Amino acid sequence: MKKNKLYLSSLIILILFFTAENLKRDKHSYYSEMKKAQNKMIILSKEILKEKKNREIEIDEKIDFNKSGLIGEEFTGITTTLGDLDSKRASTNPDFAAYFVKKFMDKNLKKGDLVFINMSSSFPGLNLSIISALDTLELRGVIVNSIGASMYGANNEKFIFLEMIQYLKEKEMVQNEIKAYSLGGDGDMGKNFDEDIKIEIEKRIENLKIEKIKIEDFKLNLEKRIKFYNSFGTAKYFVNIGGNLYHKHLEKYYKNKKIPVLSMLNIKQIASDNGILIDGKLLEKDSSLYYKKENKGIYWTIILIFFGYIYFRGRKKY
């Protein structure tokens, strides 16, 4: 008899847990905006992949097995530092566009609000994702990009990230664009670039109507960046993507100004914490990113109710 009661108790617990697990999860109130940004990122990625093929830039499918078009080469003439391939794959996941939407909307950003962005070219996937999010929410991004990229970033000298955005802009596929650029790399002057390649790139982009920051003195360069950002108005958010010479100083400056700061560096951890697949693939169903946080308290409530029932029932017998 006791054995039967034990089986019955175990069965009831399993039923209660199964019921709790299958309760309908609530989508974020900005689910539609998140999905819109995700879809835009997918379209932009496919367009960049297509253009790379048009330019006869080889896609190494052993490295970029998702065929994102956003994984670069190991070493090139504009490679700045070592890079983690898993992080680069994770960064190509279009769910990051939804992640940025969530971050912006969590801070109550509205149409027309300013977002200052400091980005290297090490994570072209994240760069496209944040532009997708900005466009979706009709935010005004002030983007400063450095050309250099770590391993597996946008380090192909024939089609740098700045040119990718220019290409998408010309096709009227993006509204936000890069407002200023620097070479990046050592001293933010591309000192560790292949010299011939550096000269060729500078010549190729010299006619673009984009502010160029080329100041060797660290303090003056930093002041120039801050002055450039602030000339657009007061930001509602500052975002850093990748590491360059100035990202820590810019983050500190805007934190001191009481402006929210988002640092995108530990990409695998950020992906893991937000239900984004590290291998860059999209789930067939929406990940946990798109849903409100699950209330784990429901499990403990069920357990307490059940054992409370058993306890008081037992007391009645005696």
Side-chain angles (χ1 to χ4, degrees):
M1 190 69 176
K2 286 183 178 179
K3 196 173 183 180
N4 288 337
K5 285 183 177 180
L6 181 62
Y7 284 142
L8 181 60
S9 299
S10 300
L11 180 61
I12 291 170
I13 290 174
L14 286 171
I15 291 170
L16 289 170
F17 264 89
F18 180 80
T19 302
E21 283 286 353
N22 286 277
L23 288 174
K24 185 179 179 181
R25 292 186 296 171
D26 290 329
K27 293 177 180 177
H28 275 294
S29 57
Y30 23 89
Y31 175 86
S32 61
E33 290 89 347
M34 294 170 74
K35 290 297 292 183
K36 186 178 178 181
Q38 180 212 53
N39 290 332
K40 176 157 190 164
M41 168 56 180
I42 292 171
I43 292 168
L44 296 183
S45 299
K46 287 180 178 179
E47 187 63 34
I48 292 300
L49 176 63
K50 186 177 79 172
E51 181 60 17
K52 278 190 169 184
K53 289 179 178 179
N54 288 341
R55 298 185 184 212
E56 299 182 342
I57 296 172
E58 185 180 355
I59 306 297
D60 187 344
E61 293 182 14
K62 291 179 181 178
I63 295 174
D64 188 8
F65 49 66
N66 294 320
K67 300 178 184 177
S68 70
L70 300 173
I71 302 291
E73 301 164 44
E74 187 172 14
F75 288 108
T76 69
I78 58 171
T79 303
T80 54
T81 57
L82 299 175
D84 179 67
L85 182 54
D86 288 336
S87 294
K88 299 303 168 80
R89 285 198 187 108
S91 72
T92 66
N93 195 318
D95 277 342
F96 270 110
Y99 169 81
F100 286 123
V101 166
K102 181 176 179 295
K103 285 292 183 181
F104 293 149
M105 296 192 77
D106 279 347
K107 294 295 182 182
N108 297 313
L109 268 66
K110 308 295 183 187
K111 178 181 176 180
D113 282 346
L114 277 173
V115 180
F116 294 166
I117 303 167
N118 175 64
M119 62 169 63
S120 71
S121 296
S122 295
F123 294 100
L126 293 182
N127 295 353
L128 282 184
S129 279
I130 200 166
I131 289 172
S132 297
L134 293 170
D135 284 358
T136 297
L137 299 178
E138 297 184 71
L139 300 172
R140 292 188 296 142
V142 181
I143 303 171
V144 179
N145 170 240
S146 51
I147 290 171
S150 56
M151 290 165 52
Y152 309 113
N155 61 355
N156 189 292
E157 310 100 331
K158 296 178 182 177
F159 197 32
I160 61 175
F161 184 73
L162 176 62
E163 291 172 313
M164 293 181 195
I165 297 303
Q166 285 297 113
Y167 168 76
L168 293 172
K169 183 72 176 176
E170 287 168 8
K171 291 185 73 68
E172 298 183 346
M173 296 182 72
V174 295
Q175 285 72 56
N176 280 275
E177 59 188 319
I178 292 167
K179 300 292 188 183
Y181 74 92
S182 68
L183 288 172
D186 287 356
D188 199 39
M189 301 289 287
K191 291 179 180 179
N192 54 337
F193 292 0
D194 178 285
E195 191 62 27
D196 290 339
I197 290 172
K198 180 169 72 174
I199 291 169
E200 194 275 327
I201 289 174
E202 286 190 290
K203 187 175 181 180
R204 199 167 71 221
I205 62 176
E206 64 183 357
N207 293 325
L208 296 178
K209 295 179 181 180
I210 301 174
E211 182 84 13
K212 182 178 181 180
I213 300 174
K214 193 174 183 180
I215 303 171
E216 191 163 4
D217 182 85
F218 181 90
K219 185 179 178 182
L220 293 177
N221 190 312
L222 180 61
E223 288 174 353
K224 168 71 174 178
R225 288 168 180 269
I226 292 171
K227 185 177 180 181
F228 179 78
Y229 279 127
N230 294 343
S231 68
F232 289 84
T234 302
K236 294 294 181 71
Y237 218 133
F238 177 84
V239 182
N240 177 77
I241 299 176
N244 64 17
L245 196 60
Y246 298 95
H247 75 270
K248 290 182 180 179
H249 300 272
L250 290 167
E251 287 177 15
K252 183 179 179 180
Y253 174 84
Y254 286 108
K255 278 181 182 177
N256 290 339
K257 293 290 183 181
K258 308 300 181 186
I259 292 172
V261 170
L262 176 62
S263 182
M264 299 296 294
L265 282 173
N266 193 350
I267 307 307
K268 286 190 289 186
Q269 187 63 53
I270 294 171
S272 178
D273 290 345
N274 290 276
I276 299 172
L277 292 185
I278 292 174
D279 64 5
K281 292 181 180 178
L282 282 172
L283 292 167
E284 289 184 10
K285 296 181 179 180
D286 292 330
S287 71
S288 59
L289 174 69
Y290 295 88
Y291 295 88
K292 294 176 182 177
K293 281 194 174 180
E294 199 172 25
N295 183 8
K296 297 294 184 182
I298 190 171
Y299 301 119
W300 293 109
T301 301
I302 290 170
I303 291 169
L304 288 171
I305 290 172
F306 175 75
F307 283 107
Y309 167 75
I310 296 296
Y311 173 74
F312 286 110
R313 187 181 177 192
R315 287 193 65 180
K316 283 182 180 181
K317 290 182 179 181
Y318 299 100

